[in-house]
Amino acid sequence: MDSEMRGGFRVGVDIGGTFTDVSIVDGAGQVHATKSPSMPSDPAKGVVAALGRAASELGLTLQLLLSRTDLFVHGSTIATNTLLERTGSVVGLLGTEGFRDTIEIRRGWRDNPWDHRTPWPDPIVPRHRRLSVVERMDAEGNAVIPLDPASVRRALDRMRSYGVESVAVCLLHSYRNSDHEQRCRDIISEHAPELWVTLSSELAPVVGEYERASTSVINAYVAPRVVPYLNGLERELRAMGLRALLVVQSNGGVVSVAQIARHPVAMLLSGPAAAAGALSHFQAEAGTDHLISLEVGGTSCDVMMVNAGEIGMTDLLDIERLRVSVPSVEITTVSAGGGSIASVDDGGLLCVGPRGAGSNPGPACYERGGMHPTVTDAQLLLGRLRPGAQGGGAIMLNRWLAEEAIRKQIAEPLGLQPFEAAVGIIRLAEQTMLHAVENVSIEKGLDPQRFTLVAGGGAGALHASSIARLARCQNVFIPRLAGILCAFGMCNTDLRCDLQRSIPIALEQQHRGILDGLTVRLIAQAAALLEAEGFGPERRRFLTQWHLRYFGQQSSIPITVSDDEPIAAIIERFEAEHRRMFGHTQPDGRHQVVSIKVSGFGLLARLQSQALKFAGRSVADPEERREIWVDAEHDWRDVPVFKGSALAPHRLLDGPAIVEESTTTILVGARDRLRVTSGGNYIIELQ
């Protein structure tokens, strides 16, 4: 990786379920946005096609664009889709004798503790491919039973007979001593060198057999699909002049293809997590560091939070009821995208989602043969979207097709007029979005009244005012590039690596040396990874967190720790956080460190708000007037429709009104006032 940015292009490419988004920031600070239909059958071809379209719009060849690119970041859903669609490799699991069923036993937790009938999803590795090896470590990392190499070779022979392509190794207590797992890898390299290998002690060295086993299995499952895709895409782009391809991880940071190839499971939230970079950039212009993003795309709605400038993070993901122990931006995803399908169930109730129309055929209004009514069809029927060509001609919106689909499948079964059915679809989708906002705020002990709602995605700005009012947020911030929020965020992020080690030990002064020693070792390992990526000491930053709990608790709370901070101060902050999250503390409780985590950042030059330029923004009258359904109180109104590119900074608009941008459409409610910021973005003040 180049040690300095050279003032050329920054490119972010985000593959979504419907569109592939491209954000390009040139050396003068001007931002260019392109949307191109995704190609799920060949994602790499879709990326190249989207880049070719973006280059053409800039008057460049693709080769010239790539050769002049200093930062190229890619967010891909390939790992997520591989897991959700169950199209990964044939995986085998090596476990300690007597513990091969860990991933099926789980922990007994359920999202709804009263629902004990819903079956669990089938495990990634069926029982006949989960094989035991003779060995045993105790909880202190001492070898009680030595590893028997013959048992490993026998297991490998059986796996080969089952057609296994990739092996996950998860042995008991290997987070304390990885020697037996390392020796298993050596044996696999000699006995079955064609197999992909994942070691739990390298991937997720934390307490919890189920979490380690599940994470290792999922990594082994997606690796043979994800890694060749990334390597092939990088080779293809390099042949056309690109210097380096970086990939977004679930933690919101970027990393090289060579690094992510070791743990592709860290890409499960690759695309949505990139919004963290955009939220960081827009804090100053939004006038607050308390933000909740509502990104409504074609297939889903993703919600995340920035509290006092810190993005919400988690170390445990739940993907389709499978647990993955990887550091990640905390994102709540619900099935409420523009392509979410509306239907009437057997009980005569209206439903929206979880099925989606995808990009092909897409919503009924797309003129691609789609038959199902969606949220997009409802917005079009209510006049909020402009019929005709959208996205530079990438799609067509046909109002008649939208009305027919809603009339036949929703309105007639419910005895409603088509517009009434469309209103119901919007309201139900917005209730789902509201629950997601409450999940990241109220359920975490945070009052949404302190937060500004940031609208992202192609459809976010159509729903943002309504959601913000229901959640009682302060106001709404809408980036001009809302439709490519994640792709833009990729142009404003840092390289990141996360290292974590379990060390169950009492939080007492006598153990301070042990805790500090492990912290120093983790920082040194993170520094070595950053050095390998080309980041010298002056371009590194480290964040240390101790995961703390009371003795006897199952879950822990991460507390950021600074150098030489007194133990008493750390305990005080832990108890304050515990009180905020759970409403109480344990006055006589003893405190325990569960693990230590170090995050290393390779600092890339950040985009400056004042440097971003948006050309051609002069004061102008409305381009047209259009009849839209505003809300239940104001019903249908004839409202002005503005082109965003014609609105000057500091312009004020009173609702109801529509503002059309290149990647999104903004609905200004009847009691709202829209203000254009100095940076060309928008703030909606809720009256």
Side-chain angles (χ1 to χ4, degrees):
M1 181 184 302
D2 296 337
S3 60
E4 297 292 340
M5 301 297 293
R6 292 197 292 273
F9 294 115
R10 297 186 184 201
V11 179
V13 180
D14 178 32
I15 299 179
T18 305
F19 289 102
T20 294
D21 299 336
V22 179
S23 173
I24 299 176
V25 183
D26 64 25
Q30 191 159 338
V31 185
H32 308 268
T34 301
K35 297 180 80 72
S36 177
S38 295
M39 298 183 184
S41 60
D42 193 343
K45 185 177 179 181
V47 169
V48 174
L51 288 170
R53 180 171 184 166
S56 178
E57 292 176 358
L58 291 174
L60 302 171
T61 65
L62 178 54
Q63 289 76 10
L64 185 57
L65 170 65
L66 294 175
S67 65
R68 292 177 55 190
T69 295
D70 288 323
L71 177 67
F72 188 105
V73 181
H74 178 35
S76 174
T77 57
I78 184 170
T80 311
N81 293 341
T82 298
L83 179 61
L84 297 182
E85 296 168 5
R86 293 296 181 102
T87 56
S89 64
V90 180
V91 178
L93 173 63
L94 288 181
T96 301
E97 192 171 37
F99 289 85
R100 71 173 181 168
D101 294 323
T102 297
I103 62 170
E104 194 158 7
I105 294 172
R106 297 178 175 84
R107 289 193 174 277
W109 52 265
R110 290 182 181 271
D111 292 334
N112 180 358
W114 308 109
D115 178 13
H116 58 277
R117 295 182 182 273
T118 301
W120 293 103
D122 292 335
I124 296 294
V125 185
R127 197 169 197 270
H128 69 275
R129 296 204 305 265
R130 304 195 300 260
L131 303 177
S132 300
V133 299
V134 177
E135 69 87 42
R136 188 65 179 265
M137 290 279 183
D138 65 18
E140 300 300 320
N142 300 310
V144 177
I145 300 176
L147 176 69
D148 178 11
S151 68
V152 179
R153 287 189 284 268
R154 286 195 299 271
L156 291 174
D157 288 337
R158 287 185 62 187
M159 286 184 179
R160 277 174 152 175
S161 70
Y162 296 140
V164 166
E165 303 169 279
S166 184
V167 176
V169 183
C170 183
L171 304 181
L172 199 64
H173 301 304
S174 62
Y175 64 90
R176 294 301 298 268
N177 184 344
S178 64
D179 179 61
H180 286 179
E181 286 196 0
Q182 297 284 351
R183 291 175 60 194
C184 282
R185 177 164 59 189
D186 293 340
I187 295 170
I188 295 171
S189 297
E190 295 174 0
H191 194 72
E194 73 280 4
L195 299 180
W196 294 71
V197 182
T198 297
L199 302 186
S200 73
S201 55
E202 292 182 346
L203 184 65
V206 295
V207 171
E209 289 305 300
Y210 168 59
E211 288 77 11
R212 287 196 300 113
S214 177
T215 305
S216 302
V217 162
I218 292 173
N219 188 78
Y221 187 67
V222 302
R225 303 293 182 264
V226 173
V227 177
Y229 160 74
L230 292 176
N231 286 334
L233 178 62
E234 184 174 43
R235 283 194 303 270
E236 185 173 0
L237 296 180
R238 281 183 178 272
M240 290 186 283
L242 184 68
R243 284 181 287 276
L245 171 65
L246 299 181
V247 181
V248 182
Q249 304 173 94
S250 298
N251 61 20
V254 300
V255 70
S256 67
V257 172
Q259 290 286 352
I260 200 66
R262 303 175 185 176
H263 48 89
V265 71
M267 287 182 61
L268 284 175
L269 292 183
S270 175
L279 295 180
S280 174
H281 174 78
F282 288 123
Q283 284 181 41
E285 197 168 344
T288 178
D289 58 1
H290 290 79
L291 304 172
I292 298 175
S293 68
L294 179 84
E295 191 195 9
V296 185
T299 56
S300 64
C301 170
D302 298 322
V303 179
M304 68 175 69
M305 168 176 284
V306 175
N307 182 30
E310 295 294 327
I311 191 76
M313 299 291 295
T314 182
D315 291 309
L316 193 62
L317 291 178
D318 187 353
I319 306 291
E320 289 292 289
R321 304 173 74 206
L322 298 172
R323 292 219 155 178
V324 187
S325 182
V326 293
S328 171
V329 172
E330 191 168 19
I331 300 175
T332 296
T333 300
V334 292
S335 298
S340 294
I341 293 174
S343 61
V344 177
D345 68 13
D346 294 338
L349 295 178
L350 176 64
C351 303
V352 177
R355 291 189 304 140
S359 59
N360 193 3
C365 62
Y366 273 19
E367 296 187 345
R368 293 178 177 171
M371 303 298 293
H372 300 292
T374 66
V375 176
T376 296
D377 293 300
Q379 295 284 17
L380 181 62
L381 180 56
L382 296 179
R384 297 170 173 184
L385 290 174
R386 175 191 295 274
Q390 301 288 331
I395 58 172
M396 294 291 294
L397 299 185
N398 186 314
R399 188 181 186 279
W400 183 84
L401 289 175
E403 183 172 358
E404 281 296 289
I406 292 175
R407 179 178 63 81
K408 291 179 179 179
Q409 300 183 47
I410 308 296
E412 290 179 354
L414 296 178
L416 301 173
Q417 293 297 317
F419 90 89
E420 293 174 320
V423 170
I425 292 170
I426 299 299
R427 285 180 171 172
L428 188 54
E430 289 183 347
Q431 280 297 314
T432 302
M433 297 175 196
L434 175 63
H435 293 329
V437 170
E438 292 172 339
N439 176 262
V440 303
S441 56
I442 295 174
E443 294 184 22
K444 299 291 191 295
L446 299 169
D447 186 354
Q449 293 187 62
R450 299 167 47 216
F451 290 81
T452 288
L453 190 69
V454 179
L462 287 169
H463 302 277
S465 292
S466 175
I467 301 301
R469 185 171 282 107
L470 290 169
R472 305 179 67 83
C473 293
Q474 282 188 352
N475 52 29
V476 176
F477 181 86
I478 305 173
R480 179 174 179 262
L481 301 169
I484 59 163
L485 187 73
C486 292
F488 176 73
M490 294 173 191
C491 299
N492 190 60
T493 188
D494 292 320
L495 189 137
R496 176 169 178 163
C497 60
D498 292 290
L499 300 173
Q500 187 170 353
R501 295 292 183 274
S502 290
I503 179 172
I505 192 172
L507 181 56
E508 298 172 353
Q509 190 61 44
Q510 61 181 328
H511 297 142
R512 186 60 189 258
I514 298 174
L515 297 170
D516 287 344
L518 178 56
T519 300
V520 169
R521 290 195 296 275
L522 290 176
I523 290 175
Q525 293 175 29
L529 291 174
L530 295 176
E531 182 74 30
E533 296 282 10
F535 290 87
E538 73 284 355
R539 299 175 62 211
R540 302 174 191 163
R541 180 173 70 88
F542 301 98
L543 177 70
T544 300
Q545 290 182 319
W546 293 359
H547 288 244
L548 309 179
R549 66 184 180 188
Y550 291 110
F551 272 93
Q553 285 186 322
Q554 181 174 356
S555 59
S556 60
I557 299 175
I559 301 297
T560 301
V561 177
S562 57
D563 294 341
D564 301 322
E565 184 175 6
I567 294 292
I570 297 172
I571 291 175
E572 183 178 352
R573 289 195 292 111
F574 163 76
E575 298 205 329
E577 187 68 3
H578 194 283
R579 185 179 296 107
R580 181 188 68 79
M581 294 177 64
F582 305 112
H584 68 91
T585 59
Q586 296 182 17
D588 299 322
R590 294 182 63 214
H591 304 89
Q592 181 185 36
V593 179
V594 179
S595 63
I596 294 177
K597 175 183 171 183
V598 167
S599 301
F601 300 86
L603 304 180
L604 292 164
R606 310 309 292 268
L607 295 174
Q608 300 300 314
S609 296
Q610 64 270 23
L612 298 181
K613 301 175 182 178
F614 303 96
R617 304 188 65 83
S618 58
V619 177
D621 293 327
E623 181 175 88
E624 64 171 298
R625 299 188 70 86
R626 188 161 74 228
E627 190 176 27
I628 74 167
W629 190 87
V630 179
D631 56 37
E633 179 183 349
H634 299 87
D635 203 41
W636 290 87
R637 290 288 180 90
D638 187 55
V639 306
V641 179
F642 295 87
K643 281 293 184 184
S645 57
L647 295 178
H650 312 298
R651 177 78 181 270
L652 297 177
L653 294 178
D654 289 323
I658 294 288
V659 177
E660 296 179 338
E661 273 289 357
S662 61
T663 66
T664 192
T665 298
I666 303 169
L667 172 64
V668 186
R671 297 185 300 276
D672 302 338
R673 168 172 284 185
L674 180 139
R675 172 167 55 88
V676 184
T677 69
S678 58
N681 300 299
Y682 305 94
I683 290 178
I684 294 181
E685 300 166 354
L686 306 175
Q687 304 299 317

